[in-house]
Amino acid sequence: MFTGIVQTQATVVSKTQTAGVLRLVISVSDEYVKHLDLGASIAINGCCLTVVQVELSNHDVVAQVHFDVIDETLKLTNLGLLELGSLVNYERSVTFGTELGGHIVSGHIHCTSQISQIVKLENNCKIQLSLPKEWKKYVLYKGFVAINGASLTVGEIDEQGFWLHLIPETLAITNIGAAQVGDKLNIEVDQQTYTIVNTVENYLRHQV
């Protein structure tokens, strides 16, 4: 479980594809791997991945974390599109006593969404995202949505999808600030909204 508050950005340093599995290696500052055990969960671009190897920093080599990403995850997320040097959003899982600054995020990506338009203003940035038809009903005006793992509020809804209104702090801390038109971002809809919508639809179907 995660909060949707991105802690830092990590850098992709290695990608190795084998049968059905992508070994993804990222580098990150030492402070973000303290007491990190094998089997721990980390959200990479919002996708919950399991740590399979940890290498602490040594002289000029920064700390590295290894993950195995299966084909199903690659199909649903943007992790397969990452290149060497790509920056990814990094959040370790919630621990007891963690301040919940965003919203509860599971790390299970529902779909990807393509950036249709970016409008840069003096003190903020607006990003328009297209959304697959089957997921539009779960994204509500002023509702929560996790974008590449960042807990954000939906600013506007339109026929194509929705808009985000981003402050400079969000743009600086996450990799959304470097995103460009055409890029695909990972989407996790709010779990409460997802549950309520599906429950109501199921109830109404059985009333007919």
Side-chain angles (χ1 to χ4, degrees):
M1 188 173 67
F2 306 92
T3 67
I5 302 301
V6 174
Q7 295 168 326
T8 189
Q9 295 182 61
T11 305
V12 176
V13 294
S14 176
K15 289 175 61 178
T16 306
Q17 184 71 55
T18 57
V21 176
L22 172 71
R23 172 60 65 95
L24 180 67
V25 183
I26 58 100
S27 65
V28 68
S29 300
D30 270 358
E31 62 184 299
Y32 298 106
V33 296
K34 287 181 179 178
H35 311 297
L36 183 62
D37 298 323
L38 298 185
S41 296
I42 296 179
I44 300 296
N45 275 359
C47 181
C48 179
L49 298 179
T50 300
V51 175
V52 297
Q53 185 178 340
V54 180
E55 300 177 48
L56 299 179
S57 62
N58 182 15
H59 301 298
D60 294 331
V61 179
V62 296
Q64 296 184 354
V65 187
H66 298 231
F67 307 94
D68 285 336
V69 188
I70 60 174
D71 284 346
E72 180 67 14
T73 302
L74 295 175
K75 285 192 299 184
L76 290 175
T77 73
N78 61 15
L79 298 185
L81 301 175
L82 296 174
E83 300 177 350
L84 298 186
S86 292
L87 293 176
V88 294
N89 291 338
Y90 180 104
E91 182 193 350
R92 291 181 60 169
S93 58
V94 171
T95 58
F96 183 75
T98 298
E99 180 179 354
L100 185 61
H103 71 284
I104 297 299
V105 177
S106 70
H108 298 158
I109 303 302
H110 292 109
C111 65
T112 57
S113 182
Q114 191 169 47
I115 297 178
S116 304
Q117 189 177 170
I118 298 176
V119 179
K120 293 187 177 181
L121 306 173
E122 184 177 357
N123 295 312
N124 61 73
C125 176
K126 294 173 59 176
I127 296 180
Q128 183 188 37
L129 292 164
S130 62
L131 200 60
K133 182 179 179 180
E134 63 269 27
W135 293 103
K136 288 183 179 180
K137 60 187 175 183
Y138 303 114
V139 177
L140 308 177
Y141 173 63
K142 294 303 181 184
F144 289 123
V145 65
I147 308 293
N148 268 10
S151 173
L152 299 170
T153 302
V154 177
E156 302 172 41
I157 298 288
D158 59 22
E159 292 184 1
Q160 190 173 12
F162 63 100
W163 286 81
L164 300 171
H165 299 170
L166 305 175
I167 62 173
E169 182 70 8
T170 301
L171 297 172
I173 292 176
T174 74
N175 61 10
I176 300 174
Q180 301 177 5
V181 172
D183 286 354
K184 290 185 177 181
L185 306 182
N186 290 336
I187 303 290
E188 180 185 335
V189 300
D190 176 50
Q191 190 61 45
Q192 287 188 331
T193 303
Y194 179 84
T195 301
I196 291 170
V197 169
N198 286 347
T199 300
V200 171
E201 286 188 343
N202 185 57
Y203 173 80
L204 293 176
R205 276 197 301 269
H206 287 84
Q207 298 307 303
V208 177

